[in-house]
């Protein structure tokens, strides 16, 4: 996903005079070196709060800033600037993170960020995307370049085998009965494997915020239970899913990253197993919830 983002960003810098890229010593620092777009790639150094302020200034100047670094340095560290410099002033920007919840597990807790979607959900007017395939990343980035709003695109090293539409809707992927599993972003393939057999239908979205409430409510008709499998902090989507299904009588459960820290290094696959977010772990949770 990150490689695809760099490729698309390079093309945007060459073809779209509004496109700018703001970095903090991490990422494709020389993406436009030697081209007329070189002055639209700004490296502020390891100053993430300043990075958001610079993006706000570029937006005020009529440009379309893309801001890129690891999720904890992009969302958690400069959250006050995101709240004030972008949201409060109603300025547009596209934040593009890497690292997701625990993709950079080998770097330790400093590089883990399961709470990013939950944190940004507290701000108005944001579209938050968790693409599950590089093709979805390209579609989202190109669409964001032609807009003026505030978006967050959460890149991951985990990806699904195939891409799905990034239209913000909830799409039915696998038919079943009894329980509807809503898989978000890169957890779709694991959810499909976990739900193999009778009794589980699987739906998908790459945009948890704003959630396609109408689509989810329509798809959930006839099911006893909806289980949301989310690649970030467990329960992040609880309020919006609950609002979508209020009064329907459908039971709602969430499977995601736990609040407790896994004080270990290892690989992303190790942490998916520890969190119960690999296929066997998701299946165990589904069976317990049935």
């Amino acid at each position: 996903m990150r490689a695809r983002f760099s490729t698309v960003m390079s093309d945007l810098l060459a073809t779209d005079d509004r496109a700018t890229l703001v970095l903090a010593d991490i990422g494709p620092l020389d993406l436009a070196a030697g081209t007329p777009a070189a002055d639209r790639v700004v490296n502020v150094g390891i100053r993430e709060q300043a990075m958001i302020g610079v993006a706000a200034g570029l937006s005020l100047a009529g440009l379309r800033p893309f801001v890129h670094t690891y999720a904890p340095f992009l969302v958690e560290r400069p959250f006050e600037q995101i709240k004030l410099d972008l949201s409060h002033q109603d300025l547009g920007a596209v934040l593009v993170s890497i690292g997701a919840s625990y993709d950079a597990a080998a770097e330790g807790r400093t590089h883990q960020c399961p709470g990013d979607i939950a944190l940004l959900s507290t701000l108005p007017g944001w579209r938050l995307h968790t693409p599950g395939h590089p093709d979805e990343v390209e579609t989202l980035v190109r669409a964001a370049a032609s807009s003026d709003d505030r978006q967050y695109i959460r890149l991951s090293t985990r990806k699904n085998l195939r891409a799905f539409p990034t239209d913000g809707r909830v799409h039915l992927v696998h038919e079943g009965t009894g329980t509807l599993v809503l898989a978000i972003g890169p957890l779709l393939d694991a959810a499909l494997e976990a739900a193999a057999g009778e009794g589980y239908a699987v739906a998908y979205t790459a945009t948890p915020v704003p959630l396609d409430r109408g689509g989810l409510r329509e798809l959930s008709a006839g099911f006893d239970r909806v289980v949301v499998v989310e690649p970030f902090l467990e329960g992040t989507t609880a309020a919006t899913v609950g609002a979508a299904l209020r009064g329907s009588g459908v039971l709602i459960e969430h499977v995601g990253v736990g609040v407790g820290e896994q004080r270990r290094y290892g690989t992303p696959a190790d942490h998916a197993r520890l969190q119960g977010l690999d296929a066997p772990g998701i299946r165990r949770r589904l069976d317990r919830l049935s």
Side-chain angles (χ1 to χ4, degrees):
M1 291 191 192
R2 190 183 192 188
R4 181 67 67 87
F5 167 66
S6 293
T7 298
V8 175
M9 197 70 233
S10 177
D11 180 61
L12 289 174
L13 288 167
T15 60
D16 184 349
D17 290 341
R18 288 204 317 153
T20 62
L21 179 62
V22 187
L23 303 167
D25 262 356
I26 292 174
L29 304 178
D30 59 350
L31 192 61
T35 75
D39 62 349
R40 286 187 278 119
V41 178
V42 182
N43 178 21
V44 303
I46 307 176
R47 301 176 180 87
E48 286 82 2
Q49 290 93 338
M51 178 174 62
I52 300 300
V54 167
L58 293 169
S59 183
L60 280 170
L63 299 172
R64 184 59 166 161
F66 286 77
V67 190
H68 177 60
T69 189
Y70 278 90
F73 312 143
L74 183 60
V75 176
E76 293 176 324
R77 183 173 294 173
F79 182 71
E80 182 180 11
Q81 283 69 39
I82 294 173
K83 180 179 73 172
L84 298 178
D85 294 358
L86 294 176
S87 287
H88 180 61
Q89 296 192 94
D90 197 22
L91 295 175
V94 187
L95 309 185
V96 183
S97 72
I98 56 170
S101 290
Y102 44 70
D103 286 354
E107 304 295 334
R109 179 60 173 160
T110 57
H111 285 60
Q112 297 175 23
C113 193
D116 53 348
I117 299 294
L119 192 57
L120 289 172
S121 296
T122 65
L123 300 177
W126 283 84
R127 292 182 57 79
L128 312 180
H129 309 288
T130 57
H133 189 278
D135 288 353
E136 296 175 18
V137 172
E138 177 161 356
T139 303
L140 287 167
V141 169
R142 291 191 182 279
S146 62
S147 180
D148 292 302
D149 61 356
R150 292 181 293 281
Q151 298 191 36
Y152 176 58
I153 302 175
R154 188 188 210 242
L155 307 185
S156 177
T157 58
R158 191 170 185 172
K159 64 181 186 295
N160 303 316
L161 289 177
R162 55 175 290 207
F164 287 86
T166 56
D167 53 9
R169 298 180 60 192
V170 174
H171 295 269
L172 185 65
V173 176
H174 175 72
E175 294 187 354
T177 59
T179 296
L180 174 65
V181 177
L182 173 59
I184 297 177
L187 287 184
L188 174 61
D189 280 1
L192 284 169
E193 184 179 344
E198 298 181 3
Y200 298 107
V202 181
Y204 174 76
T205 186
T207 303
V209 180
L211 184 69
D212 174 18
R213 296 186 183 188
L216 178 60
R217 188 176 181 91
E218 181 178 347
L219 283 178
S220 67
F223 288 95
D224 302 321
R225 184 185 311 268
V226 169
V227 179
V228 182
V229 179
E230 44 199 3
F232 33 73
L233 196 64
E234 185 171 299
T236 293
T237 60
T240 187
V241 171
L245 302 182
R246 184 175 294 121
S248 66
V250 176
L251 296 175
I252 305 169
E253 307 282 356
H254 293 264
V255 176
V257 180
V259 172
E261 290 186 31
Q262 297 292 339
R263 295 177 177 269
R264 305 180 185 186
Y265 288 86
T267 66
D270 291 330
H271 279 255
R273 175 177 51 80
L274 290 168
Q275 296 285 351
L277 289 176
D278 58 355
I282 294 172
R283 182 61 190 232
R284 288 193 296 272
R285 292 286 298 273
L286 292 176
D287 289 344
R288 287 201 298 268
L289 296 172
S290 297

